[in-house]
Amino acid sequence: MRSRMMSELSWDTYQRRLHDDDAIVIVPVGAVEQHGYHLPLGTDWLMASYMAGRAAENVDGIVAEPIAYGARSQVRTGGGPHRCGTTSLNAETLIALVHDVLVEIGRHGARKIAVIDSHFENRSFLDEACHRASETLAAKGKEVRILKMLYAERIKPETMKLVYAGIQDPPGLDLEHGGILETAMMLYCYPDLVDMSRAMDEPAPDFPPYDVFPIDPSWVPESGCLSSGKTATREIGKLLTEEFVTQVTNALRAEFRD
């Protein structure tokens, strides 16, 4: 089976795939960020890469090298930037990096580019990067369409009921950093990187409806997670992952194939 990874292709094979197949080039974007004691620092970029790879199989696309580093972790969504290992980019750096990568891929001859994000804090900066790249490519006479999406953009209500079955007070998506969803998907996609013996069962934080700077680390539970992942299972991970793969695939087909 031919490779889907740009890095594994020779330059001329890559060129043929772009020119002859009009291949979609998928750029995974994530973060290097703490996800508690039981999940690895690379959780976000690993999951973005997994989703990109699976979707590429479905649409005969090409996966570019992941942009592993992301926007600064925020206390109320990612546990904050203060724990060892969380390695963030300034907003201007991330915008410029993604812009340059997209423009280069357009220069290669790609007409269809998809940016698949897995780090909530990246959202607005990726919007800006894609907007600028689109303008830059148009000014160069390149007709390129760019799709950008968070792979978990939507979750079916019936899926959420299964995810939180038996949990009396579900934390909700706002507190899902290092919780059931990410833990379950990692158990399904990268089981060797998960240590469930270290998953904590801490009380969910009661954040105020505002942020303060400098940040106050005491707002975040000791592990860095915002909810517990102890009830996560591989079966839940399979359910979520396959739903998201389908969602990404459908988006690519809708914008680039139909």
Side-chain angles (χ1 to χ4, degrees), residues 28-35 40-49 66-73 85-89 94 116-122 177 182:
V29 186
V32 177
E33 177 187 42
Q34 68 80 23
H35 280 75
L41 289 161
T43 292
D44 282 350
W45 76 259
L46 286 166
M47 286 306 308
S49 297
I67 297 176
Y69 298 105
R72 185 173 290 107
S73 178
T86 298
T87 310
S88 306
L89 300 179
L94 179 60
I116 304 301
D117 181 28
S118 66
H119 180 58
F120 182 81
E121 285 90 333
N122 286 343
H177 180 73
E182 286 183 306

Side-chain angles (χ1 to χ4, degrees), residues 85-126:
T86 298
T87 310
S88 306
L89 300 179
N90 289 326
E92 297 86 353
T93 304
L94 179 60
I95 292 169
L97 173 60
V98 176
H99 166 273
D100 288 358
V101 169
L102 298 180
V103 170
E104 282 293 278
I105 292 172
R107 182 182 63 82
H108 300 158
R111 297 192 311 114
K112 302 167 181 177
I113 306 173
V115 176
I116 304 301
D117 181 28
S118 66
H119 180 58
F120 182 81
E121 285 90 333
N122 286 343
R123 182 187 295 260
S124 59
F125 308 121
L126 294 185

Side-chain angles (χ1 to χ4, degrees), residues 2 9-24 60 62 108-110:
R2 63 180 181 172
L9 303 176
S10 65
W11 74 265
D12 59 323
T13 300
Y14 174 52
Q15 185 179 65
R16 281 196 300 272
R17 295 279 302 279
L18 294 181
H19 291 183
D20 298 345
D21 300 345
D22 198 19
I24 302 168
D60 196 21
I62 297 171
H108 300 158

